[in-house]
Amino acid sequence: MTVAFNGFGQKAIPFLKALDFHQSREWFLENRDLFEGELRDPFGDLVETLSERFAAAGLGLRGDRKKSLFRINRDVRFARDKRPYNRHLSAILSPDGTKMEQGVFFVHIGLERCFAGVAWWQPGPALLLAMRNAIATRPGEFRALIEALKQNRLELDAEGCMKRAPRGFEHVTAADLAAAIRNRHFAVRHEVDPAGIHAPALVDELVDFALRAKPLLDWGRAIEAKVPVD
């Protein structure tokens, strides 16, 4: 049975600050109860509450406290930065409830910022090519998506955009379409006031964002449905 989200603990961000300062397994184990009570368990409540609300809204996104949360531990095997712990905790809700799907809802609670995103993030080559082709060959549909997002106070994130047109798309000269085709991701974000993470109202805020981002989900899903499965 889902436990309603009542907000992150008041010590959630201070815990992340202290963990970032110590970066010590011994310190983390000594303070594990604080991590679980103030941050991890409320995050699980948030994910499962959002899952229910997203289902009711027909958004096709779900998750649970076991599969959706990312670990606080960093993967340092191939990293120069060997600090063992992240400065944030995050989670994904997706069409099948795993972290392997595209067209997802992402929540990030961290020291630098708190935000949510709806994204097609690093889509595979076939899907990314299909999205670029859709922009080039059906510009009206893409521009309608951009206008719908604009009406909903959202815009595509340009993070990681290529400097030049990908091969095969040099012929696209319209500035807006050319810029979009250079994207490696298709995502929108919503900044969350860190002061607001401690109240149940965060759920309504995130549901509202997901509904405003639905045009991006719909656009990507229509394209994805026509991409052959390997």
Side-chain angles (χ1 to χ4, degrees):
M1 182 177 179
T2 300
V3 178
F5 175 73
N6 290 311
F8 288 97
Q10 293 295 327
K11 296 180 180 179
I13 299 298
F15 169 84
L16 288 173
K17 289 180 179 178
L19 178 62
D20 187 51
F21 174 79
H22 290 281
Q23 286 293 339
S24 160
R25 183 173 184 273
E26 290 74 21
W27 186 91
F28 178 78
L29 292 176
E30 289 175 2
N31 293 274
R32 190 180 186 93
D33 289 347
L34 187 64
F35 166 66
E36 293 176 351
E38 298 286 299
L39 192 59
R40 191 195 66 182
D41 291 348
F43 218 141
D45 297 340
L46 176 62
V47 164
E48 294 185 349
T49 301
L50 286 174
S51 189
E52 289 188 351
R53 291 285 299 274
F54 288 170
L59 286 170
L61 296 165
R62 60 190 175 92
D64 62 57
R65 66 182 63 243
K66 292 183 178 180
K67 295 180 182 178
S68 298
L69 271 66
F70 288 92
R71 299 179 65 198
I72 191 75
N73 306 74
R74 296 181 64 246
D75 184 352
V76 300
R77 290 174 298 173
F78 307 106
R80 291 183 179 181
D81 183 353
K82 298 298 183 181
R83 290 179 297 175
Y85 295 101
N86 285 311
R87 298 162 56 86
H88 63 269
L89 194 64
S90 55
I92 276 182
L93 291 88
S94 69
D96 69 353
T98 74
K99 300 186 183 80
M100 305 304 294
E101 288 283 298
Q102 283 292 334
V104 301
F105 183 93
F106 181 78
V107 188
H108 174 108
I109 302 297
L111 293 185
E112 286 82 10
R113 60 195 296 213
C114 299
F115 69 92
V118 166
W120 302 84
W121 196 259
Q122 295 183 333
L127 179 55
L128 181 57
L129 177 61
M131 289 176 155
R132 287 170 170 168
N133 279 327
I135 295 169
T137 61
R138 301 192 298 278
E141 292 180 10
F142 179 74
R143 286 172 171 148
L145 161 66
I146 296 303
E147 181 59 27
L149 292 176
K150 182 179 178 180
Q151 292 294 322
N152 291 343
R153 308 185 307 282
L154 296 172
E155 62 181 15
L156 286 182
D157 194 315
E159 180 179 336
C161 183
M162 299 173 66
K163 293 182 179 180
R164 297 181 179 180
R167 184 176 300 176
F169 292 93
E170 296 86 353
H171 65 285
V172 179
T173 57
D176 60 333
L177 302 180
I181 284 171
R182 293 198 302 271
N183 281 333
R184 291 187 174 95
H185 322 288
F186 294 91
V188 291
R189 301 190 191 220
H190 168 76
E191 296 294 329
V192 174
D193 183 347
I197 70 171
H198 308 294
L202 178 62
V203 172
D204 290 335
E205 179 180 343
L206 296 180
V207 171
D208 173 73
F209 163 63
L211 289 170
R212 289 188 287 118
K214 188 174 182 293
L216 178 59
L217 288 173
D218 293 342
W219 177 79
R221 287 171 178 169
I223 297 168
E224 185 180 43
K226 298 178 182 179
V227 175
V229 178
D230 294 334

